[in-house]
């Protein structure tokens, strides 16, 4: 979706403001939100692309004015409601009022913690040979799906070079909407800075994205 | 290294939590109340065990952080065979070090060289190599960084106090899939033959993201 989360190349947000000696969490509740999100995902309530999509669907003004973990909380509440794990009355009451919905992998317990400490596995068996090889010229498709995608707007329509092939991976555009893995080849595609940003751009700049095969056409 | 919050005596969750910047007894913020309520619901419904949530928070506060990446980079500087293995397959090479019990697939180390500087961003959300750097800092997840890193990296670097030669090529890696990128910075001149422990002191978190450079040799403890 063409949401405000797709920020590459936007102006007007001001300078980057690094904080010296920043704590891991700025308040206790931030850690609890992070842990709940990871735990429920690991228990099978949703996948990572559904959780990204839930944040992307927050109203633009809310997305832009909320801290990072506030967005996580709001997205998680949406996921819990949409997927039937919690209802609005329970959120309002602050207590469970109805029987639980079965989690695909069951309750998340301390024995499950180590499993969430690394990313999931996204490599999949390839249903077909890779269409592209390193060195191939490709164009990022001019596509604007109304749902989740991982092709940022700033590369759409532009021509780049395939640099690496990362194998065949589960496809976020499908996973985000409950469509299953739909495995696709994944490539690092490199674009010239001036191709993306025009003649005034830094001539030394190149930018790459990791693009799934359905995002690309031969150029 | 990041400082630890000073509430370690009070980490058992929803019924005791408080903002670390506030004293006990201060008014609870909207966010504290809302998060506490959600944790209560998920616990009462039997979806999560609070001790498991505690363990996740504890891991990111005390076990997983940039000290892991520092050791990886120091080894790559000290050991050419490891450097080669790291660049060929970051996941396998780092798994072989035994620093972390699990390492995600498709971790890609990208090497700076004279005349080439790499920088990592996630314009769409906040993708970051958690296993080797811990959770990302706020600025990495912020709109200014996500918006400008791909268009004006030199302007962003200036805000970190970094100025590169005008003819140094800049390569920005936008983390748009389940690949994760770790920058292997250039080893500072004058540190040849140093021990890995000493080299690790020169490796900053920002140098591994590409928004900083390693410390200079005199900044390491002897």
């Amino acid at each position: 979706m063409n949401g405000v989360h797709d920020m590459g190349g936007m102006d007007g947000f001001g300078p980057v403001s690094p904080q010296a000696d920043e704590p891991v969490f700025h308040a206790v509740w931030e850690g609890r939100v992070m842990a709940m999100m990871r735990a429920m995902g690991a228990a099978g309530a949703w996948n990572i692309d559904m959780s990204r999509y839930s944040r992307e669907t927050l109203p633009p003004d809310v997305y832009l004015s909320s801290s990072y973990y506030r967005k996580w909380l709001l997205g998680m509440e949406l996921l819990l409601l949409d997927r039937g794990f919690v209802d609005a009355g329970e959120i309002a009451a602050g207590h469970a009022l109805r029987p639980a919905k079965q989690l695909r992998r069951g309750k998340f317990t301390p024995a499950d913690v180590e499993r969430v400490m690394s990313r999931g596995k996204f490599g999949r068996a390839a249903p077909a040979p890779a269409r592209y090889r390193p060195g191939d010229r490709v164009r990022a498709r001019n596509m604007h799906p109304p749902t989740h995608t991982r092709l940022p707007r700033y590369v759409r329509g532009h021509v780049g070079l395939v640099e690496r092939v990362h194998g065949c991976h589960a496809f976020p555009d499908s996973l985000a909407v409950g469509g299953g893995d739909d495995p696709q080849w994944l490539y690092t595609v490199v674009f010239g800075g001036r191709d993306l940003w025009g003649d005034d751009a830094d001539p030394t700049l190149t930018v790459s994205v990791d693009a799934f095969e359905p995002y690309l056409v031969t150029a | 290294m990041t400082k630890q919050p000073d509430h370690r005596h009070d980490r058992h969750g929803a019924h005791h939590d408080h903002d670390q910047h506030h004293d006990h007894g201060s008014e609870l913020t909207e966010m504290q109340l809302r998060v506490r309520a959600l944790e209560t619901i998920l616990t009462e419904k039997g979806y999560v065990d609070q001790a498991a949530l505690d363990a996740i928070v504890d891991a990111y506060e005390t076990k997983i952080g940039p000290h892991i990446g520092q050791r990886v980079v120091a080894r790559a500087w000290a050991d050419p065979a490891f450097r080669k293995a790291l660049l060929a397959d970051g996941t396998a090479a780092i798994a072989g070090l035994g620093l972390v019990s699990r390492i995600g697939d498709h971790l890609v180390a990208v090497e700076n060289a004279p005349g080439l500087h790499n920088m990592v961003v996630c314009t769409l959300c906040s993708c970051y190599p958690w296993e080797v750097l811990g959770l990302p800092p706020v600025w990495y997840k912020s709109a200014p960084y996500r918006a400008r890193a791909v268009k004006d990296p030199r302007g962003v670097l200036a805000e970190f106090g970094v100025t590169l030669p005008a003819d140094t090529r800049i390569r920005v890696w936008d983390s748009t899939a389940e690949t994760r990128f770790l920058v292997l910075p250039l080893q500072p001149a004058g540190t040849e033959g140093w021990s890995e422990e000493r080299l690790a002191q020169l490796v900053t978190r920002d140098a591994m993201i590409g928004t900083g450079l390693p410390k200079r040799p005199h900044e390491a403890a002897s």
Side-chain angles (χ1 to χ4, degrees):
Chain A
M1 60 178 286
N2 290 344
V4 291
H5 68 282
D6 186 358
M7 292 180 161
M10 291 176 77
D11 296 313
F13 289 120
V16 181
S17 305
Q19 178 190 356
D21 297 322
E22 181 179 328
V24 175
F25 300 110
H26 289 72
V28 173
W29 67 262
E30 294 188 342
R32 307 312 288 183
V33 169
M34 187 276 297
M36 283 190 274
M37 183 66 105
R38 300 278 288 187
M40 291 298 287
W46 49 70
N47 63 50
I48 192 164
D49 290 293
M50 290 172 181
S51 69
R52 290 185 181 124
Y53 188 29
S54 72
R55 291 187 287 276
E56 293 165 7
T57 57
L58 293 172
D61 59 328
V62 173
Y63 188 99
L64 291 173
S65 60
S66 296
S67 71
Y68 182 72
Y69 286 112
R70 184 167 193 269
K71 285 197 279 282
W72 274 43
L73 174 71
L74 298 176
M76 182 160 53
E77 288 179 350
L78 290 176
L79 282 169
L80 288 165
L81 292 168
D82 287 351
R83 303 186 69 72
F85 289 100
V86 166
D87 72 25
E90 292 175 312
I91 299 252
H95 285 283
L97 303 173
R98 324 227 183 282
K101 178 179 170 182
Q102 182 67 36
L103 283 162
R104 191 158 50 85
R105 294 201 183 104
K107 180 177 184 173
F108 189 85
T109 70
D112 301 309
V113 171
E114 195 190 327
R115 185 160 54 85
V116 306
M117 300 318 289
S118 74
R119 284 175 289 119
K121 291 193 169 296
F122 294 86
R124 297 290 185 270
R131 186 178 301 156
Y132 303 112
R133 291 181 303 179
D136 285 353
R137 274 168 54 92
V138 290
R139 185 183 299 279
R141 286 180 58 207
N142 178 25
M143 53 182 259
H144 299 269
T147 48
H148 181 73
T149 187
R150 296 293 292 180
L151 183 68
R153 260 175 290 180
Y154 73 89
V155 300
R156 295 178 195 168
H158 292 288
V159 172
L161 287 179
V162 172
E163 186 180 77
R164 296 181 186 222
V165 184
H166 294 289
C168 198
H169 287 224
F171 189 37
D173 303 43
S174 171
L175 286 170
V177 292
D181 283 347
D182 189 16
Q184 303 291 342
W185 287 92
L186 179 67
Y187 307 90
T188 294
V189 179
V190 190
F191 300 87
R194 290 196 164 178
D195 292 335
L196 297 176
W197 311 114
D199 293 343
D200 295 333
D202 186 337
T204 70
L205 173 63
T206 53
V207 180
S208 63
V209 301
D210 283 353
F212 294 88
E213 200 167 272
Y215 299 166
L216 303 172
V217 292
T218 301
Chain B
M1 294 300 301
T2 41
K3 282 185 191 161
Q4 299 307 325
D6 59 0
H7 50 71
R8 310 202 53 73
H9 60 288
D10 186 20
R11 54 191 353 311
H12 286 282
H15 302 292
H16 300 283
D17 72 6
H18 62 280
D19 190 302
Q20 69 178 96
H21 303 298
H22 293 246
D23 295 322
H24 281 283
S26 64
E27 194 176 346
L28 294 170
T29 66
E30 180 221 335
M31 290 307 295
Q32 286 172 288
L33 291 168
R34 200 160 166 174
V35 173
R36 173 185 292 186
L38 193 63
E39 185 169 337
T40 299
I41 296 166
L42 299 189
T43 305
E44 288 177 352
K45 292 189 83 105
Y47 295 144
V48 297
D49 182 328
Q50 283 188 316
L53 302 181
D54 295 343
I56 295 174
V57 172
D58 181 64
Y60 286 109
E61 287 191 326
T62 66
K63 298 187 179 77
I64 300 173
H67 59 280
I68 298 168
Q70 287 171 334
R71 294 290 304 275
V72 171
V73 169
R75 171 65 69 91
W77 285 348
D79 178 349
F82 177 76
R83 176 175 149 271
K84 194 174 168 192
L86 178 69
L87 294 170
D89 183 341
T91 296
I94 295 170
L97 287 182
L99 295 170
V100 282
S101 58
R102 296 171 77 106
I103 183 88
D105 291 341
H106 306 288
L107 183 67
V108 178
V110 296
E111 183 181 36
N112 287 349
L116 173 65
H117 183 86
N118 291 286
M119 195 165 138
V120 179
V121 65
C122 175
T123 62
L124 296 173
C125 53
S126 56
C127 299
Y128 187 78
W130 288 21
E131 299 105 310
V132 287
L133 296 185
L135 296 176
V138 166
W139 61 259
Y140 183 87
K141 304 175 286 194
S142 72
Y145 186 71
R146 288 163 54 187
R148 284 174 50 230
V150 289
K151 184 180 180 188
D152 178 26
R154 282 179 200 272
V156 170
L157 287 169
E159 284 151 21
F160 285 86
V162 174
T163 307
L164 300 175
D167 60 353
T168 294
R169 288 179 294 124
I170 299 183
R171 165 66 179 277
V172 179
W173 301 76
D174 192 352
S175 307
T176 55
E178 295 305 331
T179 38
R180 294 292 177 272
F181 301 101
L182 177 73
V183 175
L184 176 55
L186 271 174
Q187 181 173 355
T191 62
E192 297 76 16
W194 281 27
S195 70
E196 281 179 41
E197 288 69 25
R198 215 166 153 220
L199 287 170
Q201 295 175 33
L202 302 176
V203 184
T204 64
R205 179 199 64 201
D206 291 358
M208 295 183 277
I209 304 171
T211 55
L213 299 173
K215 293 179 187 173
R216 288 166 293 183
H218 69 266
E219 295 178 272
S222 52

